[in-house]
Amino acid sequence: MPVELTKLEDCALLRLNRPEALNALSFTVLKEISEALTEVADWKVRALIVTGAGEKAFCAGADIKELGGRSMIDCKRGAEMGQATFAKLDRLPFASVAAINGFAFGGGLELALACTFRVATPNAKLGLPEIKLGLIPGYGGTQRLPRVIGEARAMEMIMTGRTVAAEEAQRIGLVHRLVEGNAVDAALAFAHEFSGYSLLAQQFAREAVSRALDVPVLEGLKIEADLSTLAFGTADAAEGMTAFTEKRKANFKDE
């Protein structure tokens, strides 16, 4: 199976399984990712980890041999398919962590950018090289990369198509952590730093932060007030505050 969806402790694991093709995103793989994300949304898990099989690549991007000879309408539909697939990560009821183990180029980096968090091994190399093919990113890279690392750095990466090594990726905020050893194990440990908290509070926090860049600050503050009020109204908030006063660990039930 080119896309594997399994359970790993209290998290789900989505693994691209085409190591012989550096886990490239064929249209079949995109369709299977979309189906996997639809399925996992109903799983009783605390987070999703996304990675690629093997040690060379998280995902080396689109399957180039599928891109030639297509009509303009087919190209547009392909871009919309990739965008719609990766957008499903935003709508999951839990956060996602990209475990970047090697190359993350083109659509592979766009997949990682669509995840809530990114951890990378020291050998990771990231980039959006589409400009070298006379193209531009089409699966969300021009929109998500500036939101992650800022307009100036994003413009430079996209216009030059250059590769960013792991240390620079961490320095500019493209990845959250550099991790040693097995990338999936490290991503799981990272997920456990937040997965024990209320999923409802996590959803409110993700929504508030993600909307911060889309609206003026005064409108964003109104959104924050609304979402924090909703959080206060949950049973988890009552449990969290009670546990704090009683000096014990909170027992969140996502209610």
Side-chain angles (χ1 to χ4, degrees), residues 87-100:
K88 290 185 177 184
L89 285 157
D90 293 325
R91 298 193 295 272
L92 290 177
F94 37 78
S96 53
V97 183
I100 303 172

Side-chain angles (χ1 to χ4, degrees), residues 10-215:
D10 59 349
C11 297
L13 174 65
L14 189 156
R15 188 193 308 269
L16 306 183
N17 189 27
R18 299 182 71 204
E20 74 287 349
L22 300 179
N23 302 312
L25 294 173
S26 66
F27 291 119
T28 296
V29 170
L30 273 177
K31 182 174 183 294
E32 292 200 13
I33 292 173
S34 179
E35 292 171 351
L37 292 176
T38 297
E39 179 182 346
V40 79
D42 294 326
W43 285 20
K44 300 299 182 183
V45 294
R46 312 299 298 177
L48 171 67
I49 295 168
V50 180
T51 196
E55 299 179 357
K56 291 184 177 180
F58 171 78
C59 174
D63 200 332
I64 301 299
K65 61 179 178 290
E66 288 190 348
L67 300 184
R70 295 185 303 151
S71 67
M72 292 187 71
I73 189 63
D74 285 338
C75 291
K76 187 169 188 293
R77 286 172 178 166
E80 290 170 344
M81 175 187 177
Q83 292 173 359
T85 295
F86 294 169
K88 290 185 177 184
L89 285 157
D90 293 325
R91 298 193 295 272
L92 290 177
F94 37 78
S96 53
V97 183
I100 303 172
N101 51 323
F103 302 131
F105 293 147
L109 180 52
E110 290 172 305
L111 172 58
L113 285 166
C115 292
T116 316
F117 301 106
R118 288 160 294 285
V119 302
T121 54
N123 68 321
K125 296 185 183 301
L126 305 88
L128 295 173
E130 287 87 348
I131 198 79
K132 298 177 181 180
L133 303 177
L135 303 170
I136 70 169
Y139 293 171
T142 66
Q143 303 305 300
R144 289 193 175 93
L145 188 62
R147 286 168 164 81
V148 170
I149 64 173
E151 179 184 351
R153 287 192 174 105
M155 186 71 76
E156 185 259 350
M157 280 187 63
I158 291 169
M159 292 288 286
T160 66
R162 75 178 180 91
T163 297
V164 173
E167 288 188 3
E168 181 183 358
Q170 183 188 35
R171 186 172 70 251
I172 65 177
L174 185 50
V175 301
H176 296 83
R177 304 267 178 91
L178 290 188
V179 298
E180 298 289 344
N182 184 279
V184 171
D185 290 343
L188 183 64
F190 181 89
H192 284 161
E193 294 183 25
F194 60 81
S195 62
Y197 301 127
S198 166
L199 285 180
L200 292 175
Q202 291 184 52
Q203 289 170 27
F204 294 142
R206 288 168 60 205
E207 182 176 355
V209 173
S210 66
R211 294 176 68 180
L213 296 177
D214 296 326
V215 296

